[in-house]
Amino acid sequence: MVEATAPHHAEAETTSTGLSHRKLVMWAFLGSDCMFFGSLIATYLIYQGKSKVGPFPEEVFSIPVTSVSTFVLLMSSMSMVLAYAALTRGNVKSFRVWIFSTAILGMTFLAFQVFEFRDFANHEVEIDCTSVETANLTPLEQKLAAKCGEGDLKIVEQHGLTPRTNLFGTTFFTLTGFHGFHVTLGVIWLLSLGFLSFKGGVRPETNLDVDLAALYWHFVDVVWIIIFTVVYLYGVFPGI
Amino acid sequence: MTQHAQTQTGDGGAGTAHAGHPTPLTYFKVAMVLAAITAAEVGVFYIEGLGRGIIPVLAILSGIKFALVAMFYMHLRYDARIFSWFFVGGVLLAISVVMALLGLFQFFV
């Protein structure tokens, strides 16, 4: 039997385990969310290489760009943990600086994702008709190369990737889209805490609120660590 | 009644049985290690000669990153062990689900 009491301050609670039940529930939620993302990653891997038409991953992915966005998300985790550390030290001003930095880094990551999705949707295939070497071309490029007529210098056609284009598009956008949705919720949560701190809603004694938000944010980060490796690096590695 | 056995959670209600948090410098060092591993992953990606050998390399590197974030940033190294069990249990179940699905759809064939 567990009863909530507030002997010293509003946030203290008495539990049979000596552990915060809110935090326990958060860890249980994160554990279950692992299975959610696990299913999406498995689905992506199962349908990998089974698309009949392009664009294919190697045609649209830009590893340098995604590496930068990955770096941004990793740094946001550092600023989040510094926000929590500042609050536990009682430095609310420093907490605000770090929590808003985290939110800005999160929004930067989302901007990268929007840019990437837009780039994929407007993907263009260009063929230089003057020097066509069909051996190095993808099936889609070979199809376009066949259209090269006499006097044509190059052929450009738009072959955008959307969730309806092929199996790769469906599984990729579902997986990364759900991750982006998690990041969006996290940014809203962080901004809420930041603005709440101006009204006295976030204090060193109530740091559990920030601790829970931090756990969620770091979870979003570890999920991206896996997605970046499995989808982007392993998915388009030329040696496999 | 178990009321006498109940414990009040400390740390502003966080109730985490901390054995002392790392300093901001440690957090910064962890971030630099994470950035370096990410750079190594991208570097490995461009070594075409690795072939399928890239799979264990990437798995180990991303596993280290995952563990560093969970242990230091999510404080699992310092918090009560039960939190680790909740999370690790979820991760293991997720890995089982992934492996079962991949096996079912003949991914390894």
Side-chain angles (χ1 to χ4, degrees), chain A residues 28-45:
Chain A
F29 163 71
L30 296 182
S32 67
D33 224 17
C34 283
M35 282 179 269
F36 175 72
F37 278 106
S39 310
L40 291 179
I41 290 169
T43 309
Y44 178 85
L45 286 173

Side-chain angles (χ1 to χ4, degrees), chain B residues 1-106:
Chain B
M1 294 293 280
T2 58
Q3 212 159 353
H4 63 281
Q6 294 169 1
T7 319
Q8 188 193 321
T9 63
D11 192 28
T16 51
H18 301 287
H21 278 302
T23 61
L25 182 66
T26 310
Y27 292 138
F28 179 74
K29 282 179 186 168
V30 171
M32 291 305 104
V33 172
L34 290 171
I37 295 174
T38 305
E41 279 182 325
V42 176
V44 162
F45 171 79
Y46 288 104
I47 307 172
E48 285 191 32
L50 275 177
R52 295 195 81 84
I54 196 173
I55 298 171
V57 175
L58 288 180
I60 290 168
L61 290 176
S62 64
I64 294 171
K65 281 163 73 180
F66 190 103
L68 281 175
V69 173
M71 287 195 319
F72 289 94
Y73 287 177
M74 296 172 98
H75 298 138
L76 280 181
R77 194 176 166 197
Y78 309 93
D79 269 354
R81 194 55 64 87
I82 191 168
F83 296 139
S84 299
W85 288 120
F86 267 67
F87 189 54
V88 172
V91 170
L92 290 178
L93 266 172
I95 292 171
S96 310
V97 167
V98 171
M99 289 302 162
L101 281 171
L102 293 182
L104 197 64
F105 286 88
Q106 299 177 331

Side-chain angles (χ1 to χ4, degrees), chain A residues 2-25 205 208-209 212, chain B residues 6-16 83:
Chain A
V2 176
E3 290 169 15
T5 58
H8 296 305
H9 43 72
E11 279 297 304
E13 61 176 307
T14 304
T15 64
S16 53
T17 56
L19 301 167
S20 163
H21 287 176
R22 286 173 66 199
K23 194 163 182 175
L24 214 51
V25 167
E205 311 87 67
L208 177 62
D209 295 335
L212 297 182
Chain B
Q6 294 169 1
T7 319
Q8 188 193 321
T9 63
D11 192 28
T16 51
F83 296 139

Side-chain angles (χ1 to χ4, degrees), chain A residues 76-92:
Chain A
S76 79
S77 251
M78 183 189 72
S79 62
M80 182 71 240
V81 83
L82 290 175
Y84 178 71
L87 189 68
T88 48
R89 286 198 313 271
N91 191 342
V92 178

Side-chain angles (χ1 to χ4, degrees), chain A residues 157-210:
Chain A
E157 268 188 31
Q158 189 168 348
H159 285 274
L161 179 76
T162 68
R164 292 192 298 179
T165 307
N166 53 22
L167 281 170
F168 162 59
T170 308
T171 51
F172 171 79
F173 282 110
T174 306
L175 172 58
T176 54
F178 265 111
H179 180 265
F181 175 67
H182 275 70
V183 176
T184 308
L185 286 183
V187 168
I188 294 168
W189 195 349
L190 298 179
L191 288 175
S192 307
L193 286 170
F195 288 119
L196 209 61
S197 71
F198 289 106
K199 294 186 172 184
V202 177
R203 302 180 306 279
E205 311 87 67
T206 61
N207 67 17
L208 177 62
D209 295 335
V210 177

